Amino acid sequence: MKCLMMILYCLLISTVLSLLGVFILQTMKVMGTAESDFINLPYGIAVGFNICLAFGTLPILFNLNNRVKFSPLMSGLSFFLLPFMLVLLSLLLMWDELWPGVLFALPYLSVLIIFFMRFRRGQHLKQYHQ
């Protein structure tokens, strides 16, 4: 349950940060300046990109296995391999403008790194006290 809550918190925090970032960029007239029907499209893309990254983070559930949980390499791969591959794929798909892929992925990956560090610290303390 802890791993699933980690994914949900990561999704919620990163979605709020992404929407806030899109709002700030639109108020500064950096993106979405054209008056058209697609002016709110970056909000939908930000939410959709975070949902895709959350589905890519589902291998965190492999940490329920003790062999994966106590191995820093296996645990790190379960946290980051699929999200980084999704980010690289999105960067390859948006080769003409790289900054939207980076800006939409940055909040999620930052929050995921924080949760990974907290998770590893907790596993290190549990392993140390056993």
Side-chain angles (χ1 to χ4, degrees):
M1 189 66 167
K2 180 180 178 182
C3 294
L4 194 56
M5 292 305 293
M6 217 180 318
I7 294 171
L8 291 176
Y9 286 143
C10 214
L11 175 66
L12 180 67
I13 293 169
S14 65
T15 301
V16 168
L17 289 175
S18 292
L19 292 176
L20 184 65
V22 169
F23 177 74
I24 289 171
L25 288 175
Q26 279 191 341
T27 56
M28 293 174 48
K29 306 287 187 215
V30 174
M31 65 190 251
T33 57
E35 292 296 326
S36 68
D37 293 338
F38 298 110
I39 195 162
N40 292 327
L41 185 63
Y43 293 106
I45 292 173
V47 172
F49 199 76
N50 283 320
I51 289 173
C52 287
L53 286 175
F55 281 128
T57 313
L58 282 176
I60 286 178
L61 298 175
F62 286 136
N63 283 299
L64 297 175
N65 184 351
N66 284 335
R67 198 174 98 198
V68 174
K69 183 189 302 183
F70 292 117
S71 168
L73 176 66
M74 297 295 285
S75 182
L77 286 176
S78 71
F79 267 80
F80 297 112
L81 183 64
L82 212 51
F84 277 136
M85 288 178 64
L86 287 172
V87 170
L88 286 175
L89 180 65
S90 71
L91 291 177
L92 289 174
L93 291 173
M94 296 185 276
W95 62 271
D96 55 339
E97 282 190 48
L98 296 178
W99 65 269
V102 172
L103 289 179
F104 289 143
L106 196 60
Y108 192 87
L109 294 177
S110 302
V111 173
L112 189 63
I113 288 170
I114 292 169
F115 277 119
F116 175 71
M117 290 171 41
R118 289 185 64 210
F119 178 78
R120 289 307 308 159
R121 185 180 57 195
Q123 295 310 313
H124 176 70
L125 292 175
K126 285 181 187 176
Q127 192 174 19
Y128 181 72
H129 289 294
Q130 287 181 354

